[in-house]
Each structure stands twice: as structure tokens, then as C-alpha cells.
Amino acid sequence: MTLTPPRQTGSPTSARTNAETLPSRSPGVRCFQSAVEFPAALEAIPPARRELHTLLCKSGLAGIADIVALAAEELMANAVAHGCHGLAPDTTVDMAITCDGRQVTLKVEDPSSDLPCVLPGTSDEEGGRGMLLVDAFTDRWGVEKPSTGGAGKAVWMELACSPAEGAEAS
């Protein structure tokens, strides 16, 4: 099932989306899995974030939609700015999200093998706090080989569907 039709190809914000509804294990939360491929361009991130936020809200996860969307935006921005820096204009980034009724897992894949790191934020720097936010707002995150098995990496994050579940897991 596709939640939103793919945008026309050729624009910097075009993306291919594939979404599927899964059986729910939690009342009020609709389980799902979805994947999107978008151009490795910073202007492609806001539409992907909005689409993700909408999916979460429609799935009964409005209570964590802002946090997931913010952390996902940071992973997408890192993938574009660092993982795809200097690569061909047709380079793409893949994002996949799954909700099993108890936990949301989101993964962003890019072609670089350079690992992300959490840097201490300083008051005189504008950037560099993305992974600090991911670390603070998610239950856990990490890096693994991409699902394609090729070069690059997949940075993933997990967050409980409700704050109470995340506190119990800690």
C-alpha cells in the first residue's frame, strides 16, 4: 500500500515511497513499514520529514511524531551532508521505518563508510549537534552495514511507541 504517490522524478525533492500496513500489536497504534529513496540534496529532506511526520500521526503515533521526525531529519542531513559529499548529483539516500506496535525503528543508508559521532555541542558553533540530538531523543542508535550489502553504512535509531515503554526499556 502506498500512502502517498511518488513525486515526479527530476525535481530535487523527488522521492519514491513504498509503505505497507502490518498487523497491530498495540491498541491505537497501527503497525507499518515504509521506505523512501530521495536525492542526496538538502532540499529533499523537508518533504521527506513532513511525509514521515504525517505517516506517524496517521498511525496513532502523534505523541512521538515530532521527536522521530526531528531525529530522522538529523540522520538524513548527516547522510546528505557527510555521507554523500562530493558524489555524483544522481546519488540517493534511502530511509526505512518500521513500527511493530511497541517500537519505531528508522534507518538511513548512504554510500559512505565514514561513521557518525556524537560531538559535544559548544555555544559558539552553529552546527555539529545532530547526533547529540539523536542520542538524547532516541532509546538507542547505531551503525550497521547497508541492507544492500554493498559499500556504505546504515545509521539506525529506535524509539518506544510511548514514552513509558522507553523508560521501562532503559
Side-chain angles (χ1 to χ4, degrees), residues 83-134:
C84 299
H85 181 73
L87 298 179
D90 62 345
T91 301
T92 59
V93 173
D94 296 315
M95 179 178 64
I97 185 168
T98 303
C99 174
D100 66 5
R102 294 181 55 204
Q103 175 176 276
V104 172
T105 303
L106 184 130
K107 185 184 301 188
V108 177
E109 297 184 12
D110 68 60
S112 171
S113 59
D114 294 342
L115 300 177
C117 57
V118 178
L119 300 174
T122 61
S123 60
D124 60 341
E125 292 182 28
E126 277 188 42
R129 294 180 186 87
M131 292 309 295
L132 190 62
L133 289 172
V134 171

Side-chain angles (χ1 to χ4, degrees), residues 31-115:
C31 298
F32 63 87
Q33 61 185 19
S34 181
V36 62
E37 177 183 63
F38 60 92
L42 291 175
E43 58 269 16
I45 296 172
R49 177 186 172 155
R50 283 190 298 274
E51 191 171 311
L52 173 63
H53 192 274
T54 299
L55 172 64
L56 292 163
C57 289
K58 287 182 177 181
S59 299
L61 296 167
I64 63 166
D66 290 341
I67 291 170
V68 174
L70 173 64
E73 181 177 35
E74 294 300 335
L75 294 185
M76 290 185 280
N78 277 355
V80 170
H82 305 292
C84 299
H85 181 73
L87 298 179
D90 62 345
T91 301
T92 59
V93 173
D94 296 315
M95 179 178 64
I97 185 168
T98 303
C99 174
D100 66 5
R102 294 181 55 204
Q103 175 176 276
V104 172
T105 303
L106 184 130
K107 185 184 301 188
V108 177
E109 297 184 12
D110 68 60
S112 171
S113 59
D114 294 342
L115 300 177

